[in-house]
Structure formats: C-alpha cells, structure tokens
C-alpha cells in the first residue's frame, strides 16, 4: 500500500519541480522581452528628444547659414549677428524666468518668419533674417537641452544629428519642388519641437573645470570658418570633384570626434588647428581644382571636430542653458568676424598669412590655458537657473547608488553655525557625480574611463574624509 503512495508522492514532487522550472523559464523569457521592450522604448524616446536638434541643423544649413535656399548669401551676416544678440539676450534674468513661454512663442515666430521669407521675401529679406536670428535663439538652446536629456551619450547623439541635418540639406536641395515649398516644409518641421516634452535630469559627470576659458579659442578658430564662406566655398563650387563630398567629410569628422573626444581631446583640437592651417596653405598649389578641393575638405574636417567639441563643452556645465548661449554666441561671432574680414582682405598671400597667424595664436592660447587645468581642484559648478516648464518634473537631487556608501547629506537649509563640508578633489567630485547617476560602480567606471576598483577606491577615500570630518566636527 505504501509503495504506490511513495511512487505517486515522488512523481508529484517531480511534476512540481518541472512545473516550477517551467514557470521560471517563462518568467525569464517574459522578463527578457520586457527588458527588450523597455530598451526599445527608451531608444525611441531618445530619438524623439534628439530629433529637434537634427531639424534645427537642417533648417540652419539649408536656409540662413548661406544655405541653398538663401537667395543672397551676403545677407547671412544679418542672421549671424542678430543670432549672437538673441543668444546673449537669453541669459538675461527676465528671459530666464519665462524661458519656456518665450521658447514656445519664439518657435512659432521662427516658423512664421521662414514661411514669410518663402512667399514675401523680396525687399524684406534683411528684416526677416534679423527677426529669425533673435527668434531662433531659444530654439537652439531648447534643442540642445533636449539632446542632453537623452539616456545615452548626448555628444554622440549630437554628432549623428549634425550628420543627419547636413545630409538632409543635400537631399532637400535635390528635391524637385520650388524653393518656397521647401522653406514651407522647413518651417512646419520646426513646430515638431513643441511636441517633445522636456524633462530636466541630473547633469552627467563633469569632464573639467566649469569655466569659460575656452571661449577665446572658439572665437579665434571660428574666424577661419568665417573665411571659408567667402574665400573657399565660391571657388570650390566651381571646381569640386564631387558636389556634396565636403558634407560627408564634415559628418565623418564630427562622428569620429564625438567617439574619441574624451580620450584624445587636446590631440584632436590640435589636429583640427593643423587642418585649418593646411587648408589655407593649400591655396598656394598651382592647380586650382586640387587646391580648392583639398582646402575645403581639410577645413570641413576641422570645423566638424570643433563643432562637436563646442557641444561637449557647453553640455559639461551645470548651468547648461547659459553655457549654450555663451558658447554658441562666441562661435557665431567668430564666423561673423571672419565673414566681415573676408570682405576687406582680398584672396591673395596676405589672407593666407593672416589666417595662419590666427590659427597659430589659437593653438598657443589653447595649450597655454590647458597646461595644468586637468589636475586642479574644482568646486561644484553653479546650478541651472532655468525653471522647469509647468507640468514637468524638476531636476532630481544627487543620490548615492544602492551599493555605494552614502556620502551626500540630505538637502537642508544651511545655518550660520554649520561647518564647511570636506574638500574633495576634482577627480573625486567627478567620481561622486558618476556614482550618483549610474546604478552600479561598473557603469560609473565605464562612463569615467576608469577601472571598477579605482572607482571603489575613490569612494572609500571620500567616505573616510566624510567620517573624519564628522568626527572632528563633533
């Protein structure tokens, strides 16, 4: 009587075990499918947030920045200088307080002015470009803030957006429709930015000191870019081996720069200065076809590297809206200065000598400013003063990861009796911010290009400083 019972009892245990294993397998498959679905949804969200910057680049390169839809290329200067003024205006406290509302109105005005140029340009093109320069400033800032809010590398996303925008310009140029229709499509596409919700998030780990010491270099280098519009491109369009090849060179240089900028920043910036110097030296080659093609390819590669460096530099600040305004205003001011100087200097040996002096002064300034900056101690940068739009989440506070020791005290209102906080080095601040952002030490180490053991060592060192400081305070 007991043998059948034992047999069935064992069989029941076996069936229960198989059932549990089956349920575990089904659960694992569903979990992997959910993870895949979550990753896909996150990628789609990131693409949606990056699309406004790609559309802005498409609009910028196709129309106001001497694009194929701009009737008179010399009127680009009106847009440049009004855009500089608009970006600086965006740093004023009155604009900062109402930035979200101003951004909505500025986007609608930019789209309307683009449509007005398409159908009523004529004698009003100068006035329309002046309006566009000011109205497009909040749009540029917001598109880069949306780019920074992506979960992946915003600089690499920015490089792909630049490549897509410039290649889209080539495609739109070949579209067999009238120019007013193309401008109308561009203006309507800009309204897509209003459909993307902006959710501020904690800035990523800093890559250097939060100061504007690179702005003189950006300005000096972009003067050479301004010379390109009047000195190199007109000759290149007549002698080009393949129209549009310069855009591919620019896009590839931007993507490569975004991939390796953190590891080889100084070398890449020195290389782009060398490219710019060689670009204008190539004008002395007897063959005009070879000279123009080589010059434009070199300068476009250099500009692609610097453009990505400027994006990474602006997004490395804690107060990103203000940094974006200052960095891009400096960039556009350099291009405008070069464009104005090109009208005063004829295309001869004098222009080449002047440009060589500019790029050599830029490289001297760059390395003089960065000689010992990487090892200096820094304080935490200022927080962004731009308010979150109504109905969206506010920026989150720093918090330690689950497996890291807590080294950040709760946010409390400071009192006059409080002691100062322990001093951390620049590298320790970067490690602390990365650990606060990423869920594991391994991911934080990957973001900082360090080993996992190094990150743990930094955290133990900061923890000891915190404990020692608390003991001394008591």
């Amino acid at each position: 009587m007991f043998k059948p019972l034992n047999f069935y009892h064992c069989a029941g245990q076996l069936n229960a075990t198989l059932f549990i294993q089956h349920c575990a397998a089904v659960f694992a498959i569903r979990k992997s499918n959910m993870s895949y679905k979550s990753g896909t949804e996150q990628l789609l969200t990131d693409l949606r947030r990056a699309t406004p910057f790609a559309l802005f680049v498409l609009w910028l390169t196709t129309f106001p920045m001497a694009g194929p839809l701009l009737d008179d290329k010399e009127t680009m200067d009106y847009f440049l200088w009004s855009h500089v003024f608009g970006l600086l205006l965006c740093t004023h406290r009155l604009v900062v307080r109402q930035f979200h509302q101003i951004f909505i109105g500025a986007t609608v005005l930019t789209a309307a002015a683009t449509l007005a140029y398409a159908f009523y340009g004529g004698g009003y093109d100068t006035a329309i470009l002046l309006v566009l320069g000011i109205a497009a400033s909040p749009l540029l800032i917001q598109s880069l803030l949306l780019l920074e809010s992506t979960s992946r590398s915003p600089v690499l996303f920015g490089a792909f957006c630049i490549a897509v925008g410039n290649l889209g310009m080539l495609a739109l140029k070949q579209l067999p429709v009238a120019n007013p229709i193309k401008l109308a499509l561009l203006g309507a596409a800009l309204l897509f930015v209003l459909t993307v919700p902006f959710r501020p998030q904690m800035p990523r780990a800093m890559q250097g000191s939060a100061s504007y010491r690179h702005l003189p270099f950006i300005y000096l280098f972009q003067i050479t870019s301004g010379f390109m519009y009047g000195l190199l491109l007109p000759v290149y369009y007549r002698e080009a081996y393949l129209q549009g090849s310069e855009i591919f060179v620019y896009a590839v240089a931007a993507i490569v720069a975004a991939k390796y900028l953190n590891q080889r920043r100084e070398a890449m910036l020195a290389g782009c200065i060398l490219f710019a110097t060689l670009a204008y030296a190539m004008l002395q080659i007897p063959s005009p076809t070879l000279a123009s093609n080589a010059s434009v390819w070199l300068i476009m590669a250099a500009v692609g590297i610097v453009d990505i460096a400027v994006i990474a530099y602006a997004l490395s600040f804690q107060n990103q809206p203000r940094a974006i305004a200052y960095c891009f205003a400096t960039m556009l001011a350099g291009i405008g200065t070069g464009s104005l100087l090109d009208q005063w200097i004829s295309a001869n040996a004098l222009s080449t000598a002047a440009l060589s002096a500019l790029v050599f002064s830029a490289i001297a300034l760059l390395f003089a400013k960065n000689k010992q900056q990487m090892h200096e101690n820094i304080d935490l940068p200022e927080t962004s003063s731009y308010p979150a739009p109504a109905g969206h989440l506010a920026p989150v506070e720093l918090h330690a990861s689950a497996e890291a020791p807590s080294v950040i005290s709760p946010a409390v209102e400071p009192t006059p009796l409080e002691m100062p906080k322990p001093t951390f080095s620049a590298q320790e601040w970067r490690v602390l911010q990365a650990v606060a952002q990423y869920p594991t030490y391994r991911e934080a180490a990957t973001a900082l290009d360090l080993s996992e053991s190094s990150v743990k060592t930094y955290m133990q060192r900061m923890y000891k400083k915190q404990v020692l400081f608390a003991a001394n305070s008591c």
Side-chain angles (χ1 to χ4, degrees), residues 153 155 207 257-265 268 312 447 449:
S153 171
V155 178
Q207 297 297 328
K259 183 68 175 177
Y260 299 105
L261 189 63
N262 284 340
Q263 295 85 358
R264 299 288 186 269
R265 181 181 62 180
M268 296 192 73
D449 293 327

Side-chain angles (χ1 to χ4, degrees), residues 43 134 181 344 420 444:
L43 178 60
I134 297 176
I181 303 300
W344 300 336

Side-chain angles (χ1 to χ4, degrees), residues 328-363:
F328 281 85
T330 304
M331 174 194 291
L332 295 170
I335 296 175
T337 303
S339 180
L340 291 176
L341 290 176
D342 179 65
Q343 300 174 14
W344 300 336
I345 301 175
S346 58
N348 52 24
L350 179 62
S351 63
T352 304
L355 289 166
S356 299
L358 283 172
V359 293
F360 279 119
S361 62
I363 191 172

Side-chain angles (χ1 to χ4, degrees), residues 308-336:
I308 291 300
V310 171
I311 293 177
Y313 181 50
L315 296 183
S316 69
F317 284 77
Q318 195 85 347
N319 190 342
Q320 292 166 349
R322 179 173 295 177
I324 291 170
Y326 285 156
C327 292
F328 281 85
T330 304
M331 174 194 291
L332 295 170
I335 296 175

